């Protein structure tokens, strides 16, 4: 039985997304405008939230209000700073973040990478979302919010994770794999961390304490950086050529010089001979190249004698985040 001294605070940070979206017609699940409803209003409209909190306090804060396809580095930085500040408070037992689904996996990985010091406090950061707008006949956002709060209040919960459709995914493994269904995310062959069932977490594996892809810089150093390194993603495919890479190497008056490239190779990161030659020219020009795979599951295995570093198990979009953070050191 919890005493008054045991009761703490859950902080919900809003960033917009479909979960905060509205459409003119309640039956329209795709023609909506994202990021229309404030996080405080979203939370006020969730049936059963008071029961889910079990006496704990819920506090909300609007960090941003965007469609997550338009996520920016500035929002990432502000979000990381706010998460770090809240986690450092003794009365806060966890942070929940409402977010759009399109770039959710990138934001989750970014927070995982830049908050190792904060996460040593063994507190959870739970990102959640929706595939249907708040105005839908049967919105999925309210249940996802209830599930996210349930996970954040689970004793021992820690690390950055994503909760969607009753499934809990680790930040390293989570990927959006479907364009429409409410259960749009997967952890691939790594498998989910657990499942939320009637407000209770059934944990399938240990909490991921080892931050194997962490950057040695925190949110404050990122905020102080003058600019983020420019890193682009290219893909291998039948009939591939050097054209895209060669174009990216050309100076652009409206963009900084290219610092890194992530290549989404076929299979185990294999590359068309012309694309490989172009990437080698990029390396000679001082661009760092990382080899990932366009496959949805599995990880690129190191190849002896390869000119390019592998992505250390990361998907192309997460490998891009990791490479930007690495380059930011120099």
């Amino acid at each position: 039985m919890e005493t008054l001294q045991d009761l703490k605070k859950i902080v919900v940070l809003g960033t917009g997304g479909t979960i905060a979206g509205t459409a003119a017609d309640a039956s329209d699940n795709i023609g909506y405008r994202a990021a229309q409803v404030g996080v405080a209003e979203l939370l006020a409209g969730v049936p059963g939230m008071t029961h889910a909190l079990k006496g704990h306090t819920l506090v909300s804060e609007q960090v941003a209000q965007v469609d997550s396809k338009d996520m920016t580095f500035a929002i990432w930085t502000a979000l990381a700073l706010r998460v770090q500040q809240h986690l450092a408070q003794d009365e806060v037992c966890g942070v929940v973040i409402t977010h759009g689904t399109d770039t959710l996996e990138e934001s989750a990985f970014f927070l995982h990478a830049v908050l190792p010091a904060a996460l040593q406090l063994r507190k959870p950061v739970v990102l959640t979302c929706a595939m249907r707008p708040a105005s839908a006949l049967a919105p999925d956002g309210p249940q996802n919010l209830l599930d996210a709060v349930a996970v954040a209040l689970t004793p021992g919960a820690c690390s950055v994770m994503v909760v969607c459709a009753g499934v809990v995914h680790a930040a390293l493994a989570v990927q959006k794999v479907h364009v429409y269904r409410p259960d749009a995310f997967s952890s691939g062959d790594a498998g989910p961390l657990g499942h939320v069932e009637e407000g209770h977490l059934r944990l399938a594996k240990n909490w991921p304490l080892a931050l194997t892809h962490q950057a040695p810089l925190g949110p404050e150093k990122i905020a102080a950086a003058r600019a983020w390194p420019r890193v682009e993603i290219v893909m291998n495919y039948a009939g591939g050529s050097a054209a895209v890479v060669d174009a990216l190497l050309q100076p652009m008056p409206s963009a900084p010089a290219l610092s890194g490239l992530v290549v989404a190779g076929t299979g185990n990161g294999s590359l068309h001979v012309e694309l490989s030659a172009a990437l080698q020219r990029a390396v000679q020009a001082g661009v760092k190249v990382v080899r990932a795979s366009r496959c949805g599951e599995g990880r690129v295995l190191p190849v002896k004698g390869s000119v390019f570093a592998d992505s250390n198990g990361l998907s192309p979009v997460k490998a891009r985040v990791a490479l930007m953070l690495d380059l930011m050191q120099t």
Side-chain angles (χ1 to χ4, degrees):
M1 184 71 178
E2 288 182 310
T3 66
L4 289 175
Q5 288 75 23
D6 296 323
L7 296 177
K8 293 194 175 183
K9 183 165 62 175
I10 292 288
V11 177
V12 182
L13 304 179
T15 67
T18 297
I19 193 170
T22 58
D25 187 340
S27 64
D28 188 351
N29 291 321
I30 58 174
Y32 58 87
R33 291 185 62 188
Q36 300 301 300
V37 183
V39 66
E41 185 179 348
L42 277 180
L43 292 168
V46 177
M49 182 60 79
T50 300
H51 176 73
L53 286 169
K54 302 174 183 176
H56 296 269
T57 303
L58 189 68
V59 177
S60 66
E61 177 184 333
Q62 198 77 49
V63 176
Q65 188 71 308
V66 296
D67 186 324
S68 78
K69 67 179 177 58
D70 300 320
M71 184 55 62
T72 66
F73 300 146
I75 295 174
W76 271 359
T77 303
L79 185 61
L81 287 168
R82 297 306 294 146
V83 171
Q84 179 172 260
Q85 182 172 345
H86 285 300
L87 290 180
Q89 299 175 21
D90 291 339
E91 66 271 22
V92 173
C93 58
V95 173
V96 172
I97 301 169
T98 60
H99 197 291
T101 61
D102 284 352
T103 55
L104 178 63
E105 63 204 76
E106 293 161 77
S107 295
F109 175 76
F110 167 73
L111 293 173
H112 164 93
V114 304
L115 292 171
L119 294 176
Q120 287 174 3
L121 298 170
R122 297 181 63 84
K123 294 180 181 181
V125 177
V126 186
L127 289 88
T128 194
C129 55
M131 288 294 288
R132 297 172 180 169
S135 59
L137 290 171
D140 51 329
Q143 185 63 60
N144 286 341
L145 274 167
L146 285 174
D147 290 346
V149 168
V151 172
L153 288 173
T154 299
C158 57
S159 80
V160 180
M161 67 201 86
V162 170
V163 173
C164 180
V167 186
V168 186
H169 305 277
L172 278 177
V174 67
Q175 281 187 283
K176 187 174 181 179
V177 296
H178 204 277
V179 302
Y180 184 76
R181 72 187 184 205
D183 186 9
F185 290 88
S186 171
S187 290
D189 51 14
L193 285 175
H195 299 82
V196 184
E197 299 162 340
E198 297 298 310
H200 299 282
L201 174 63
R202 175 167 59 86
L203 202 59
K205 56 176 67 175
N206 293 333
W207 297 110
L209 294 178
L211 301 179
T212 55
H213 298 279
Q214 61 183 274
L217 75 168
E220 295 90 350
K221 290 185 179 180
I222 293 173
R226 288 184 297 175
W228 285 59
R230 181 179 163 216
V231 176
E232 306 288 355
I233 300 175
V234 296
M235 181 180 287
N236 192 59
Y237 40 77
S241 71
V244 173
V245 173
D246 287 344
L248 288 171
L249 290 174
Q250 299 304 309
M252 294 177 60
S254 60
L258 187 69
S259 296
L261 280 171
V262 174
V263 54
T266 39
N268 188 44
S270 60
L271 304 173
H272 189 286
V273 61
E274 292 188 19
L275 177 59
S276 179
L279 291 169
Q280 290 182 56
R281 290 196 295 274
V283 171
Q284 292 168 0
V287 175
K288 187 167 183 180
V289 176
V290 172
R291 184 174 58 93
S293 175
R294 72 184 202 183
C295 293
E297 295 193 12
R299 57 183 294 151
V300 171
L301 301 176
V303 176
K304 187 176 181 179
S306 175
V307 178
F308 314 116
D310 69 86
S311 64
N312 200 18
L314 295 175
S315 67
V317 293
K318 292 179 183 176
R320 175 176 175 262
V321 177
L323 181 53
M324 287 190 292
L325 293 174
D326 286 344
L327 290 169
M328 202 175 285
Q329 304 301 310
T330 56

